Amino acid sequence: MSLLTVKNLQIAYGGIQAVKGISFEIKQGELVSLIGANGAGKTSTLNCLGGLLKPASGEISYQGQNLLTIPTHDRVKHGLALVPEGRGIFSKLTVAENLRMGAYHRQLAKDELEQAYQRFPRLHERKEQLAGTLSGGEQQMLAIVRALLSKPKLLLLDEPSMGLAPIMVEKIFSTISEVTKEGVAVLLVEQNAKAALALAQRAYVMESGKITLEGDAKELAADSRVRAAYLGE
């Protein structure tokens, strides 16, 4: 059974139909990439799953339950975590305080924060530093670790590599791969289509609010249409 099943999802706001009846699924522990040009509807899709946008119509089943009946603030408790574009950190809180916010709905184990720092040791070095003073890459690390401290079953990542140096992108993507090996499902929205397809087991291509291609990520990476439109070939 799929962890998440989306059927005929439509999203409209401000007089614009951003998503036009898409359907897709994600299985437990699976890394799925959603690629496409700016304005394709990828971020709107993630924001809808995270509860930041309401759909105009469609069905979303999460762990066999109607996700649309779960209030936004309760979705984290159900194991769904969103790392939005722009990271959404609390800039006036310290790194450590931000991380504790990731587990606001449960009691942190004694050594859990220390274990979390092991993913990105740089955060441990800056744990008492205000999050707003971190570099872009460090803020992205913080946003990802904070989301993981909520113990998600499904992690939604929106453009985690945006604006980051290549060495930082490599570390972020390596961590995303590790997370899926630990059993967390990931839906990755990413402009870097080459990296997104290399990471994922499966992928969907969105164009103008619709899914136009789907399938095995390696097969899509070899597809001439994908290579021409998104891989610069």
Side-chain angles (χ1 to χ4, degrees), residues 75-148:
R75 294 189 188 186
V76 171
K77 296 178 185 177
H78 287 262
L80 195 153
L82 168 66
V83 179
E85 183 180 350
R87 298 150 195 152
I89 62 164
F90 301 105
S91 61
K92 296 189 183 299
L93 298 182
T94 66
V95 168
E97 288 168 339
N98 265 271
L99 292 181
R100 290 190 187 97
M101 288 296 291
Y104 74 91
H105 62 291
R106 64 183 186 86
Q107 185 69 39
L108 275 172
K110 185 176 180 180
D111 60 348
E112 205 168 344
L113 266 185
E114 293 304 313
Q115 291 175 356
Y117 286 128
Q118 291 176 16
R119 291 192 187 274
F120 299 113
R122 192 177 300 187
L123 293 180
H124 186 267
E125 298 169 11
R126 290 158 170 72
K127 63 181 179 180
E128 300 305 326
Q129 190 170 324
L130 292 181
T133 66
L134 300 178
S135 71
E138 291 164 349
Q139 290 185 11
Q140 189 63 268
M141 291 175 178
L142 176 58
I144 290 172
V145 176
R146 184 182 63 184
L148 292 174

Side-chain angles (χ1 to χ4, degrees), residues 52-71:
L52 303 181
L53 287 176
K54 290 186 177 180
S57 63
E59 301 175 14
I60 306 175
S61 174
Y62 172 68
Q63 299 188 104
Q65 182 177 355
N66 180 359
L67 182 64
L68 301 178
T69 65
I70 302 175

Side-chain angles (χ1 to χ4, degrees), residues 173-187:
F173 283 160
S174 174
T175 299
I176 294 169
S177 182
E178 290 171 8
V179 165
T180 57
K181 291 173 184 174
E182 295 166 8
V184 178
V186 175
L187 177 57

Side-chain angles (χ1 to χ4, degrees), residues 136-227:
E138 291 164 349
Q139 290 185 11
Q140 189 63 268
M141 291 175 178
L142 176 58
I144 290 172
V145 176
R146 184 182 63 184
L148 292 174
L149 278 169
S150 72
K151 296 290 187 185
K153 295 180 176 67
L154 174 59
L155 181 62
L156 309 172
L157 294 171
D158 195 0
E159 303 288 3
S161 76
M162 182 177 288
L164 303 187
I167 190 168
M168 195 67 76
V169 171
E170 185 177 342
K171 177 60 178 169
I172 296 283
F173 283 160
S174 174
T175 299
I176 294 169
S177 182
E178 290 171 8
V179 165
T180 57
K181 291 173 184 174
E182 295 166 8
V184 178
V186 175
L187 177 57
L188 173 66
V189 163
E190 179 56 55
Q191 284 278 16
N192 185 340
K194 185 175 182 179
L197 292 172
L199 273 178
Q201 284 91 50
R202 292 189 305 108
Y204 296 87
V205 178
M206 281 192 78
E207 294 179 10
S208 302
K210 297 180 179 180
I211 289 176
T212 55
L213 291 169
E214 61 182 270
D216 178 87
K218 289 183 175 59
E219 292 178 3
L220 284 178
D223 188 292
S224 60
R225 293 165 293 179
V226 174
R227 296 177 76 87

